[in-house]
Amino acid sequence: MRTGFRTPLRWTAWAVGLAWIICLPLFPAEKPDDVPNPLAAGNRFVGDNAAILGPEYLELIDAVCHKLENATTSQLAVITVKDLGGMTIDDFAVRLFRRFGIGFKGKDNGVLILCALKERDVRIEVGYGLEGVLTDAVSSRLLDEEAVPFLAKDEFGHGLYALAKGVAGTIATAQGVSMEAADPSAWPAQPAFTVPTEPTTGEGKSGPTAKNSGSGPLILAGLAALWGLIGTGAVYRKYNRTRGKAVRAKAIDKANGVTGLLWTGAGAGFIGLLASHNGFGASLLSLLSPTAVTIGQGLFRKSLRRRLDSYHLPCAKCGAGMDLTPEDQDDALLSVEEAAEEKAGGMDYEIWTCPSCAAQERLSVEMNKARECPKCKRRTLKETSTTLETATTSHGGRVRVDRNCLNPKCRFAESRERLTPKLSTTTAGTGLSGSSHSSVGSSHSSFGGGRSGGGGASRHF
Ligand SMILES: [Zn+2]
Ligand SMILES: [Zn+2]
């Protein structure tokens, strides 16, 4: 009975999930969460996502970073991005720093140099462990003296190389290590670059921006509508294929399940959109469609219920609409066990009588307010659980589970105590943010897991 309905629904859930994954690349790229980790990608500390460095400067800067790590264990990452997607460079840098985990765990000896091409912003984000060395004043001076003079002339390679060298030199000096690196005999030419005209995202902006970020919520809305329609269709099919009032009422209630799944999906999508920095408003848009579907389903359910009120099971012999014996009168037509099952809520029995040929039909359907009794096998088992002791973080809890059979011919009864595990102190991550981030580890395909607290300085050039 159940599988016939559940299978299409499960299929739909899978299909929507798959479609959601396929559509993910359509979401605007280059937010802090989308910037690739250069260490993981190619054992580099430099990620030139804005394509403004060229191979020679990339090599030069990367060499400075590797040398710094070898000499001091401090990690310096230099990342360029086309644009900040509506974020401030400070927020973007903090987020990116946290995601990469630059510097080693416990030491927090990481530094991030972030340069945004479109906004013409540059920032030094300093890990906790280096805040005493690279104070905000030192960072500001390095930016003003080493970077901005070149960056302002669009000499990005030269400017970021000089800045990286200045940062590395400051850290090395503080540790009493020499980090003399000879500059190239001739400065490589600054490669040609293109400044993005259209931002890749639009947080709270209008115009061409909104067009771009709108696609995510729209896709999600479409998926939600499709999901709702297919789910509702499944409910309708189930309704029409079954015989009997209780079964049909059960089918209608399954629409709740469809709505529940819909909101689970919509909630996950909403969080995903928020996490990919679509903006709160744009992400909220994605919830409009499930709301509409929910309202539509509510109306649909109401109309099915009304239809069920005037339902008459067609007589198998003559085809006439049969009459249902009212619940309070059908006990006489049921056995003691059956009446007990109906009373306990484990079964529903319907006795239909044909007014024209007097034929009778009995329908039975399982209800889930009572379970099957292990002794008499009737669906008359009631289970209640009482908490004797609530679980805390320091000790587990105790729960008493009483199971009683309401079949008067059986009267099975059992009482058991069950221990519940103590509450864990760590809260699990949401796991819903959608993208899998490279995690912190000691292997060299990843940064060391260092943290920053917003220390550093930014400049517009
Ligand atoms: Zn009949
Ligand atoms: Zn029993």
Side-chain angles (χ1 to χ4, degrees), residues 39 45 64-66 68-70 72-78 97 100-105 108-113 125-127 130 134 167 171 175 441-450:
L39 261 190
F45 286 100
V64 172
C65 301
H66 275 285
L68 174 71
E69 197 200 26
N70 290 336
T72 68
T73 77
S74 290
Q75 290 187 324
L76 168 63
V78 180
F97 195 113
F100 284 176
I102 306 166
F104 285 92
K105 214 170 186 168
D108 297 321
N109 55 348
V111 181
L112 167 68
I113 293 175
E125 177 73 24
V126 182
L130 290 172
L134 282 167
V167 167
I171 298 169
Q175 295 194 15
S442 54
S443 98
H444 216 103
S445 64
S446 158
F447 290 99

Side-chain angles (χ1 to χ4, degrees), residues 172-192:
T173 306
Q175 295 194 15
V177 183
S178 161
M179 256 219 44
E180 267 321 302
D183 287 336
S185 48
W187 292 108
Q190 168 63 41

Side-chain angles (χ1 to χ4, degrees), residues 371-381 404-413:
R371 289 204 226 159
E372 191 188 282
C373 168
K375 198 175 152 203
C376 68
K377 306 291 173 198
R378 288 286 178 173
R379 293 186 56 85
T380 42
L381 191 74
N404 291 299
C405 178
L406 300 187
N407 177 2
K409 292 191 174 170
C410 170
R411 292 289 175 209
F412 168 81

Side-chain angles (χ1 to χ4, degrees), residues 186-271:
W187 292 108
Q190 168 63 41
F193 61 93
T194 44
V195 181
T197 47
E198 274 201 17
T200 50
T201 186
E203 210 165 19
K205 287 181 191 162
S206 57
T209 316
K211 212 194 301 169
N212 224 324
S213 71
S215 63
L218 273 181
I219 292 162
L220 203 64
L223 288 178
L226 194 72
W227 190 337
L229 273 177
I230 295 174
T232 308
V235 168
Y236 189 65
R237 236 191 17 248
K238 171 84 176 171
Y239 178 89
N240 277 328
R241 278 184 182 176
T242 45
R243 290 168 51 98
K245 226 167 171 159
V247 196
R248 290 193 160 195
K250 248 175 110 177
I252 296 172
D253 285 337
K254 283 286 164 96
N256 284 331
V258 177
T259 311
L261 271 174
L262 182 71
W263 279 100
T264 311
F270 174 70
I271 292 166

